[in-house]
Amino acid sequence: MDTSMGASRISKRLILSYAFDWLIIILIIVVGAAFTKISPNHRPFSLTDPTISFPYVVKEKVSTATLVLVSCIAPAIIIALVCLVFVPGPTVPKDTPKRLVWRRKLWEWNTAWMGLGLALASAFFLTDAMKNLFGKPRPDLLNRCQPDVANVGKYAIGGYDNSVSGDILLVSWTVCQQPNLSILNDGFASFPSGHSSFAFAGLTYLSLFLCAKFAIAIPYLLPSRYNPSALSSSLTTRHSRSPSSSSPNSKDTPLTPRRPLNTTSSSSSTKILRSQAAAPPTYLIVLAFIPIGTALYIASTRWSDFKHHGFDIIFGSLMGFLLAWGSFRWYHAPIRRGAGWSWGARSVAKAWGVGVGVQGYAGDGELGRETLREDLEMGRVEGRENGIVGGEVEGTM
């Protein structure tokens, strides 16, 4: 890494590794799209099943194009604007070099989009794969099907005839006379709900991103640090009594309770505790909830348009939510402790993988030192705490 003239060049090896990450995300989307061209399994059904007898709604409340616009394009634009306008934030000194500011902006933008892409690509891939595997009939299947009722006996594959069970008869999908094969195949794609999974993947990710960048979280107490000197002092005080005072024959009065080592008053402790956190402005809660509320609305339309059963919608929503959370944490630090930042870049040596016994992919060597210098110049860390003195890392050449 060339650090001359106060600048640094990003390793081509590292750039290629992240470009490959993008390629993997794109390949996941391509494979998911290929699943949509494959004919799904066709689960047998009954012509008297009321749960698949709903009308076929042609004009949906939320079309596929609208879904992509709201759950993918809109979050991508909002994320880009937040990164360009609000990153790196007010804690950065005004005299910070522009190259460092823009490097941080572009890095946060890249990781945010990678997380969003991973969430949506995973939801798209898993949803279409599961639709094909299960082939569950939609609530409007019979209306799509246009069954050959006059010859229904020819298509019977299970159950009993009407002499035993009153027309409760399972038939094959070949009973359908629907001329449009695409409409018919789509009638066997009820589980899970694609609108629900895609909406919750993209919009939950957006909510998490906004919560991280604007510190929208339930207030919490910072974990107390372990103080070995307190334990040492406590033990020393406990065992520093004179032999006479601890002897059973001693005539001294019982020892009075010792004052605690921490002489801070109760009121002072309360003030310190209360000053550790505060509730964010309430309007920020609304800001974070809007994407989730939008996803809930999109999911609800799949019920009112008779496109999915209730379990299909719940499962798809939950799957999208979990994929969004996992993708967000893949690239971002925890919301309450990460100060709104994404994880740093992998080290050059670990850009393409690590061997057994190596802990993680965090930067070390030249990249680690460059990251620390950059953070120091951005005003995020104190040089002494990170072992940097005079622009150099202690213990390194």
Side-chain angles (χ1 to χ4, degrees):
M1 182 175 293
D2 181 11
T3 58
S4 62
M5 301 297 291
S8 61
R9 295 176 181 172
I10 303 176
S11 167
K12 291 181 180 179
R13 175 185 173 89
L14 188 62
I15 294 176
L16 288 175
S17 73
Y18 279 99
F20 188 70
D21 286 355
W22 272 113
L23 178 60
I24 294 297
I25 293 173
I26 293 172
L27 287 176
I28 293 173
I29 298 173
V30 170
V31 175
F35 282 140
T36 63
K37 306 300 182 181
I38 300 175
S39 181
N41 285 325
H42 301 89
R43 186 175 177 83
F45 56 94
S46 171
L47 296 178
T48 59
D49 184 354
T51 64
I52 58 174
S53 302
F54 290 90
Y56 173 48
V57 177
V58 177
K59 185 175 177 58
E60 302 173 333
K61 294 182 178 70
V62 179
S63 65
T64 301
T66 302
L67 174 69
V68 173
L69 175 65
V70 173
S71 303
C72 177
I73 297 177
I77 293 175
I78 293 172
I79 287 171
L81 291 176
V82 170
C83 291
L84 292 176
V85 175
F86 296 99
V87 172
T91 61
V92 177
K94 294 183 178 180
D95 58 348
T96 301
K98 293 295 184 182
R99 64 176 182 84
L100 294 180
V101 172
W102 276 101
R103 176 181 292 186
R104 182 56 53 84
K105 286 179 182 290
L106 295 177
W107 175 250
E108 294 291 326
W109 184 359
N110 175 66
T111 53
W113 268 19
M114 290 186 77
L116 177 64
L118 182 61
L120 292 173
S122 301
F124 182 55
F125 171 84
L126 290 175
T127 299
D128 284 339
M130 295 174 71
K131 284 178 180 291
N132 285 347
L133 288 172
F134 293 104
K136 183 179 179 180
R138 291 185 185 270
D140 60 1
L141 175 64
L142 294 183
N143 199 292
R144 296 170 181 255
C145 175
Q146 301 176 14
D148 182 8
V149 180
N151 302 296
V152 67
K154 293 170 34 178
Y155 309 100
I157 59 172
Y160 296 95
D161 59 26
N162 57 5
S163 62
V164 177
S165 54
D167 294 330
I168 304 299
L169 185 68
L170 290 180
V171 295
S172 167
W173 71 283
T174 55
V175 73
C176 299
Q177 305 299 303
Q178 170 62 253
N180 190 323
L181 187 59
S182 176
I183 294 178
L184 179 59
N185 282 337
D186 188 57
F188 291 89
S190 185
F191 178 82
S193 169
H195 274 61
S196 301
S197 64
F198 199 80
F200 269 91
L203 294 171
T204 299
Y205 184 92
L206 177 60
S207 283
L208 294 173
F209 175 83
L210 294 175
C211 287
K213 286 295 182 277
F214 299 110
I216 309 173
I218 297 175
Y220 74 106
L221 294 177
L222 296 172
S224 59
R225 294 182 177 180
Y226 169 67
N227 187 358
S229 61
L231 177 61
S232 175
S233 300
S234 175
L235 293 175
T236 302
T237 304
R238 184 175 180 181
H239 295 286
S240 62
R241 300 175 183 176
S242 64
S244 59
S245 63
S246 60
S247 170
N249 299 325
S250 175
K251 296 181 181 180
D252 295 342
T253 58
L255 294 175
T256 58
R258 285 179 169 77
R259 295 178 63 186
L261 294 176
N262 185 3
T263 58
T264 305
S265 66
S266 176
S267 60
S268 298
S269 298
T270 301
K271 290 180 180 179
I272 294 174
L273 181 144
R274 293 178 64 248
S275 65
Q276 287 188 21
T282 304
Y283 77 88
L284 290 177
I285 300 177
V286 178
L287 177 67
F289 182 76
I290 288 176
I292 297 294
T294 304
L296 285 170
Y297 170 74
I298 293 174
S300 72
T301 63
R302 307 313 286 170
W303 174 267
S304 59
D305 283 344
F306 315 119
K307 300 300 181 183
H308 294 282
H309 304 279
F311 180 75
D312 308 333
I313 297 172
I314 294 173
F315 186 93
S317 301
L318 183 59
M319 182 174 70
F321 180 89
L322 293 177
L323 289 173
W325 180 85
S327 299
F328 176 83
R329 291 291 287 110
W330 193 257
Y331 289 106
H332 290 78
I335 292 176
R336 296 199 300 180
R337 291 179 292 146
W341 300 113
S342 61
W343 296 120
R346 298 186 287 264
S347 72
V348 176
K350 302 174 182 178
W352 291 92
V354 298
V356 177
V358 180
Q359 180 65 40
Y361 292 83
D364 56 11
E366 287 297 322
L367 181 64
R369 290 193 288 273
E370 179 62 25
T371 301
L372 288 177
R373 290 190 185 96
E374 179 181 326
D375 284 345
L376 178 60
E377 292 184 62
M378 295 284 285
R380 286 185 52 218
V381 297
E382 295 295 333
R384 184 68 62 179
E385 293 180 358
N386 289 276
I388 303 178
V389 179
E392 296 295 330
V393 179
E394 294 179 335
T396 62
M397 296 299 292

